[in-house]
Amino acid sequence: MDRVIELLFTQWDALEQLIKQIPVQQWSAPSILPGWTNADILAHIIGTELFLDGETPPDVSLVPGRSYRNEVARLNDRWVTSMRALSPEELTAKFSDTTAKRRQSLAALDEQALSAVGWTPVGEAPLRRFLEIRVFDCYVHEQDLRSSTNIKGGTSGPVAEFSMDEVERALGYIVGKQARLPRGTTVRIQLTGDLQRTWNIEVGDRARLVPVLETPMAELTIDAAVFLSLACGRLSASSVSDDVHVAGDHAIAHQIVEHLAFTI
């Protein structure tokens, strides 16, 4: 079985264990995601897998006047809205049933199917790339549920490492395009905690990771879990000012932290 499929199954196992720990009354409570309850987060995960399994999103009425960043966000809300009448027991059972069905479908995929190019949230790409994004998305939503219900865990292990790889791939875009740092800027980002990494970034025609920087213009040290929350837009730069330790040019560091969020 392909590694990305194994990781996705591992992540679904982690979600299965987590949802068993969430008290019934917590499912209807507001989550850290604006406008969504904790149940809505799980419904979103279910809906995406149903869509990938070939089901059409239900034709439901959405909140009048609500704005959506793109059509994917509108599609997500259709799935979420369609499941709001389910009880916590029904919703968690639907997650188990849906992922069980998806496990069968995914386990049967061969290399040709995984290499087939089609639509993904990042443009036309092989199905394997879509599944990599699914691992990351499901992991981030596990952390959303943990943050919303104050159930700690899931900050280390192969899926957590793989998800941080997804952020690492975006660092050039984040530093070079989003933060708009000028050519010649050099930065080091050091992650602490359960996922320790050191990234050296140099801005030329594009920002890129480099093996070594003798004296970076700015150096940021930050806990990996906080960094991931910033990169996924779950925290604001102002809310974590005490968690980011800066050496060198504070203006450069501030520009990066302010523009870390790269997910839609």
Side-chain angles (χ1 to χ4, degrees):
M1 187 184 301
D2 194 270
R3 178 171 180 264
V4 71
I5 296 176
E6 291 179 345
L7 287 169
L8 185 56
F9 290 178
T10 297
Q11 179 53 40
W12 287 345
D13 289 341
L15 281 165
E16 283 277 8
Q17 292 303 312
L18 173 60
I19 62 181
K20 292 175 183 177
Q21 300 175 57
I22 298 176
V24 171
Q25 65 272 18
Q26 284 273 33
W27 284 109
S28 59
S31 74
I32 66 169
L33 301 181
W36 276 8
T37 64
N38 293 318
D40 291 340
I41 294 175
L42 189 61
H44 162 58
I45 297 171
I46 296 168
T48 302
E49 293 305 326
L50 290 173
F51 175 73
L52 292 174
D53 208 43
E55 291 196 25
T56 301
D59 186 12
V60 295
S61 298
L62 301 178
V63 177
R66 182 168 185 175
S67 62
Y68 294 94
R69 184 175 299 181
N70 50 42
E71 192 55 38
V72 173
R74 184 184 297 275
L75 178 70
N76 289 340
D77 221 22
R78 286 173 63 185
W79 286 110
V80 167
T81 301
S82 73
M83 293 183 228
R84 284 200 170 123
L86 298 180
S87 68
E89 293 79 10
E90 290 170 329
L91 185 67
T92 54
K94 191 173 185 69
F95 173 77
S96 298
D97 293 344
T98 300
T99 52
K101 183 180 178 183
R102 289 288 290 152
R103 285 175 195 263
Q104 287 187 327
S105 299
L106 291 171
L109 295 179
D110 57 17
E111 180 59 33
Q112 182 177 358
L114 288 168
S115 300
V117 175
W119 182 89
T120 80
V122 295
E124 294 289 308
L127 175 60
R128 180 180 283 105
R129 179 68 184 120
F130 204 150
L131 295 178
E132 290 173 352
I133 297 168
R134 287 304 300 143
V135 174
F136 175 73
D137 189 57
C138 289
Y139 175 75
V140 171
H141 285 313
E142 177 200 341
Q143 294 307 307
D144 290 337
L145 283 171
R146 289 186 180 280
S147 295
S148 301
T149 58
N150 198 31
I151 300 174
K152 307 297 182 184
T155 55
S156 63
V159 178
E161 294 281 0
F162 186 86
S163 298
M164 193 61 78
D165 290 343
E166 189 72 23
V167 182
E168 183 174 317
R169 279 191 284 267
L171 280 176
Y173 170 79
I174 292 169
V175 173
K177 189 168 184 178
Q178 291 195 165
R180 298 183 180 180
L181 294 175
R183 184 184 179 92
T185 302
T186 55
V187 179
R188 178 175 295 136
I189 300 175
Q190 294 199 86
L191 302 187
T192 61
D194 291 336
L195 294 179
Q196 298 187 12
R197 298 195 182 190
T198 298
W199 293 314
N200 297 305
I201 307 161
E202 183 177 74
V203 181
D205 293 334
R206 296 183 177 182
R208 64 189 182 95
L209 290 172
V210 295
V212 178
L213 285 176
E214 292 299 331
T215 309
M217 297 167 65
E219 186 169 342
L220 294 78
T221 303
I222 184 171
D223 179 79
V226 175
F227 178 86
L228 184 67
S229 294
L230 282 167
C232 295
R234 271 48 175 181
L235 294 173
S236 66
S238 60
S239 70
V240 298
S241 57
D242 293 339
D243 299 302
V244 181
H245 304 283
V246 177
D249 193 317
H250 282 247
I252 291 174
H254 178 75
Q255 189 75 355
I256 293 172
V257 174
E258 281 281 354
H259 297 87
L260 263 180
F262 79 103
T263 61
I264 60 173

